[in-house]
Amino acid sequence: MTRIDLPLQPNGTKVQWSYLPRQFNEQSIEQILDRLRAFVPSGDFTLGKPVREFEERFARLIGARHATGVNSGTDALKLSLKALGVGPGDEVITAANTFIATIGAIAENFARPVLVDCTDNFCMDVSKVEAAITPRTKAIMPVHLAGQMTDMPALMEIAARHKLPVIEDSCQCILGAIEARNAGTYGLAGGFSLHPLKNLNVWGDGGVIVTNDDDFAVKLRRLRNHGLADRDSVVMLGCNSRLDSLQAVIGNWLIDQVDFITTTRIKNAAYLDDALGKLPQIRLPQRYNNRRLVFHLYIVFAERRDELLAHCRKAGVEAKVHYPVPVYRQEGLRQFGYRQGDFPVTDRHADTMISLPAHEHLTAEQLAYMVQTVAEFYES
Ligand SMILES: *Cc1c(COP(=O)(O)O)cnc(C)c1O
């Protein structure tokens, strides 16, 4: 096999983590600016027509009755818990390996995050949930990390038995599914992020909450807009967490591409699985026949992970780790009293996992170059 080499990209790498410069190239920037130019004279900047259009299209995309646009994925989670009445003294059960925003959304409602260790698919180990339930438990918040899926059928069964609402952190899992039922539609509500590095992204922050519950949707709409039921009636205390109309214009431009983005990531992941799975030093996470994993992150377990990471970076492959220090061990969470070793699977993952780019703008040469880079590391 001939060795592949690639030219350096403008940022000095050969396989870039970020797809943003490709997604927003000269041509697409012009298209979007045209849309913004057409929109701005309307002055419809807050909860304007583009927001309503985006919400309708997002709800249809996910297969939910309602979608509510908010300021960020973090707010999508925070407001969902607030709508449930989560407050001081309450506990919310979530996964030990997650992005800090999940924990932050719980803590901002003055509740305690009760963590549960993960399985080898990076999501909450549902068999450990029941032991974490106490009389103070107010909700369960599974996290579909990396575009994997929590075992939702099993979790919903437990939640129903204990009469606990489930809010899905689907920020990394747009269009992920089990048995054709999408992430975000199993629980009472699902939160999504439109952050620039999420699979459906805008030009800044944004988030969406989906729900099939009519009353819950009304509550969310009020909470994101100061608790206003109409211009002059404050029916509850809310906040300002509206999805910007300008961001909704970008979202409406991109939303038709989400299917392509998703299927391309799945295809890239299958290629990497096939090639990397042959290396004895690499172990693939669990894959499932009845699940659609959308690979927001493509993660494998690697021997000598730190050395491999350094080798990849030296070769121009922007590999990363999600996350090198699990949230429960972070200084900012000291108040909750967790200790190193409380979540052994999460700890083991933190030491062995590596994330490789798998986004929709990678070329076949870049994918092959990544495989070559990893294989050469173990051969040498
Ligand atoms: C990105 C992310 C969030 C928060 O989304 P923002 O839009 O950045 O606020 C929450 N949870 C998880 C798992 C995420 O990856």
Side-chain angles (χ1 to χ4, degrees), residues 148-200:
Q148 290 264 357
M149 288 282 302
T150 309
D151 184 351
M152 290 310 293
L155 182 63
M156 292 312 294
E157 206 262 315
I158 293 166
R161 204 152 5 97
H162 294 268
K163 299 196 170 45
L164 288 169
V166 173
I167 307 289
E168 294 171 69
D169 181 344
S170 308
C171 288
Q172 297 193 3
C173 200
I174 188 167
L175 294 185
I178 299 178
E179 300 286 10
R181 183 161 170 188
N182 280 336
T185 64
Y186 277 90
L188 173 62
F192 292 85
S193 168
L194 304 173
H195 180 279
L197 288 180
K198 297 291 158 72
N199 286 16
L200 170 60

Side-chain angles (χ1 to χ4, degrees), residues 133-151:
I133 295 174
T134 76
R136 289 180 297 279
T137 306
K138 200 69 190 259
I140 306 174
M141 188 176 271
V143 183
H144 308 309
L145 204 76
Q148 290 264 357
M149 288 282 302
T150 309
D151 184 351

Side-chain angles (χ1 to χ4, degrees), residues 22 35 97-98 162 196 225 231 243 251-252 306 318 345 358:
R22 297 217 185 180
R35 290 196 182 195
N97 184 24
T98 185
H162 294 268
N225 194 27
R231 185 179 171 280
L243 174 64
N252 283 324
D306 288 341
E318 252 188 298
V345 179

Side-chain angles (χ1 to χ4, degrees), residues 184-245:
T185 64
Y186 277 90
L188 173 62
F192 292 85
S193 168
L194 304 173
H195 180 279
L197 288 180
K198 297 291 158 72
N199 286 16
L200 170 60
N201 53 313
V202 295
W203 283 0
D205 283 305
V208 193
I209 310 160
V210 300
T211 182
N212 288 320
D213 185 301
D214 298 349
D215 295 335
F216 200 70
V218 169
K219 216 168 187 181
L220 291 169
R221 281 168 183 275
R222 290 173 175 172
L223 282 173
R224 73 159 173 197
N225 194 27
H226 307 296
L228 287 162
D230 57 54
R231 185 179 171 280
D232 299 312
S233 317
V234 181
V235 293
M236 59 179 69
L237 287 174
C239 61
N240 176 357
S241 181
R242 299 178 294 244
L243 174 64
D244 277 324
S245 295

Side-chain angles (χ1 to χ4, degrees), residues 107-151:
E108 282 215 41
N109 281 295
F110 307 102
R112 179 187 168 81
V114 173
L115 306 183
V116 165
D117 209 355
C118 299
T119 68
D120 271 354
N121 75 349
F122 317 122
C123 298
M124 165 189 281
D125 184 343
V126 171
S127 72
K128 297 203 168 100
V129 167
E130 225 152 7
I133 295 174
T134 76
R136 289 180 297 279
T137 306
K138 200 69 190 259
I140 306 174
M141 188 176 271
V143 183
H144 308 309
L145 204 76
Q148 290 264 357
M149 288 282 302
T150 309
D151 184 351

